[in-house]
Amino acid sequence: MSDFDLVVIGSGPGGYVAAIRASQLGLKVAIIERENLGGICLNWGCIPTKALLKSGEKFESLSHLKEYGLSASGASFDFDAIIQRSRGVAKQLNQGVGFLMKKNKIEVIEGVAKLEKGAAAPKVVVTLNKGGEKVLNAKSVMLAVGARARALPQIGLVADGDKIWAYRDALAPKKLPKTFVVIGSGAIGIEFASFYRALGAEVTVVEAIDRIMPVEDEEVSKAAQKGFEKRGIKFKTGAKVTKVTKTASGVSVAIEVGGKAETLEAEVCISAVGITANTDGIGLEALGVELDRGHIKTDSHCQTNVKGLYAIGDCAGAPWLAHKASHEGIHAAEHIAGFATPNVNSPIAGCTYAQPQVASVGVTEQGAREAKREVKIGRFPFRVNGKAIASGETEGFVKVIFDAKTGALIGAHMIGHEVTEMIQGYVTAITMEATEEDIHGIVYPHPTMSEAMHEAALDAYGRVIHI
């Protein structure tokens, strides 16, 4: 029997960050992990995919050397080395999390946790990976158990690691297929489509909605599709997948588009149709934990309806993003420690790391219109930005949305080179309730692509300079 102030179940970017913050605040903390420290994001998600995408981007850029007055011949790639580099990056960060646990005196327990009724908070019973069982009592318990790839067995879309892949299979394949069908055009689907296309594979993306990346602003979505198509990715939008069948040579994907049946053939199908929270088998039903479509319901401090039990990250609902999980983890840890904490509902940016990149925060134009909000909208293309021209990265634009009555910035949407590094400027602005006057008064360094952020804000009020 062990006693802690806080037991965190799951060591992904929500769980391990929450554990560190709680330890900093003087709490005695244990963290339980069934597989790898760092969770899915660090080991099989956010980080290794970015390593793959960077390899793909570097290789693809070799075909454009002439545009920079350069030349090279015989360019090639070692697929196994690309995969091993990605796995090496994940391993390095996994070891880094282990170091942080030791530094912050957090007890790491390797095993599978299950909740039972307890006193101040649910009791945690851990089936240890090395054998045996350990029981933990704590004043508070935090669920950071994440999510897994969604399967659709009714249409045959179940990953087998061979011909039908989920994200984990796509990160460490034994060979490079020549043809893919990717089902789903969210960030995961688009990023894998971008990587494998950069290495020369033929890729078709299937999306049930009538446009790709449906959570993004419609204008950005359309621009993104054009950019991806320019790189050779094919799309089937408004397409319902009716059956996925494994064949001798790969897979056959039956779809319906506009009432007409079509069949797509490929060596591999990548399933990117969403995620399922890891809420089964951990004792939630017996405790009476309230769920919403499989996700744990929480209040503004990440508390569940059960005394002493908190939930953060993917298992607690959308948006399913690592930085949202970390933010919630810190908030919950501070609340548990008795600190007054900022509102957990801060604006959360969404990022897709394909070529071109897409980044956004706040409301979309169509969302604002549907809510009948009076808005002012500004845009600025990278094709007239000095740094973008000098860098040969003129694709894309910046779009901003202001509330016409208050001048508050309420949305920002970008597509182009490294816009995922730029979006945080607008996240900060929305968080600090900036108005158009605030943004107009900021001095942006020259030459930078971020100057397009300033010009877009100026454009919303008829003050744009360079177009």
Side-chain angles (χ1 to χ4, degrees), residues 113-285:
K114 187 170 183 179
L115 302 177
E116 296 181 358
K117 289 185 179 180
K123 180 168 59 178
V124 184
V125 180
V126 186
T127 302
L128 301 172
N129 290 349
K130 63 184 180 183
E133 187 177 271
K134 191 168 188 174
V135 179
L136 310 178
N137 285 323
K139 296 176 183 177
S140 298
V141 173
M142 186 182 301
L143 294 172
V145 293
R148 61 187 182 276
R150 184 184 177 200
L152 298 174
Q154 65 271 28
I155 61 170
L157 191 61
V158 179
D160 63 359
D162 180 22
K163 296 175 180 180
I164 302 175
W165 293 356
Y167 57 81
R168 193 160 180 159
D169 308 306
L171 280 166
K174 296 179 177 63
K175 64 177 183 178
L176 174 62
K178 294 180 180 179
T179 55
F180 289 87
V181 170
V182 178
I183 302 178
S185 72
I188 293 174
I190 289 297
E191 288 182 3
F192 280 124
S194 184
F195 167 66
Y196 283 108
R197 178 57 194 156
L199 298 187
E202 294 295 322
V203 182
T204 299
V205 177
V206 179
E207 172 55 55
I209 306 301
D210 61 1
R211 63 185 177 91
I212 70 167
M213 307 178 78
V215 301
E216 300 294 343
D217 185 87
E218 187 172 353
E219 191 174 353
V220 170
S221 170
K222 291 178 179 178
Q225 182 168 339
K226 288 181 181 179
F228 299 145
E229 287 175 337
K230 183 179 177 182
R231 287 166 172 79
I233 299 175
K234 299 174 184 177
F235 292 92
K236 293 286 185 179
T237 56
K240 178 184 178 181
V241 178
T242 57
K243 190 69 176 176
V244 178
T245 306
K246 288 184 278 189
T247 66
S249 59
V251 288
S252 175
V253 180
I255 62 174
E256 287 183 3
V257 183
K260 296 181 179 179
E262 296 183 31
T263 301
L264 305 174
E265 305 284 344
E267 289 182 46
V268 167
C269 171
I270 297 180
S271 174
V273 293
I275 62 172
T276 299
N278 292 324
T279 53
D280 47 324
I282 57 176
L284 301 185
E285 295 83 0

Side-chain angles (χ1 to χ4, degrees), residues 365-386:
E365 179 180 355
Q366 58 269 29
R369 303 290 188 197
E370 289 169 3
K372 300 190 184 320
R373 297 184 72 169
E374 187 179 347
V375 295
K376 287 185 176 291
I377 296 174
R379 302 171 182 81
F380 194 82
F382 286 121
R383 61 181 169 76
V384 291
N385 172 271

Side-chain angles (χ1 to χ4, degrees), residues 47-63 75-89 171 176 191-192 194-200 353-355 357 418:
I47 300 301
T49 56
K50 304 312 166 279
L52 294 180
L53 285 161
K54 179 55 70 172
S55 292
E57 178 189 340
K58 292 288 187 183
F59 182 71
E60 192 174 27
S61 69
L62 296 176
S63 63
S76 62
F77 61 85
D78 182 333
F79 185 64
D80 288 340
I82 290 173
I83 298 299
Q84 288 308 309
R85 176 181 178 273
S86 171
R87 301 313 311 146
V89 169
L171 280 166
L176 174 62
E191 288 182 3
F192 280 124
S194 184
F195 167 66
Y196 283 108
R197 178 57 194 156
L199 298 187
Y353 299 81
Q355 291 298 319
Q357 292 185 1
E418 295 294 353

Side-chain angles (χ1 to χ4, degrees), residues 22-37:
S23 180
Q24 289 174 344
L25 294 171
L27 303 187
K28 183 181 179 183
V29 184
I31 192 165
I32 302 167
E33 174 55 54
R34 65 183 180 182
E35 191 174 6
N36 302 116
L37 286 174

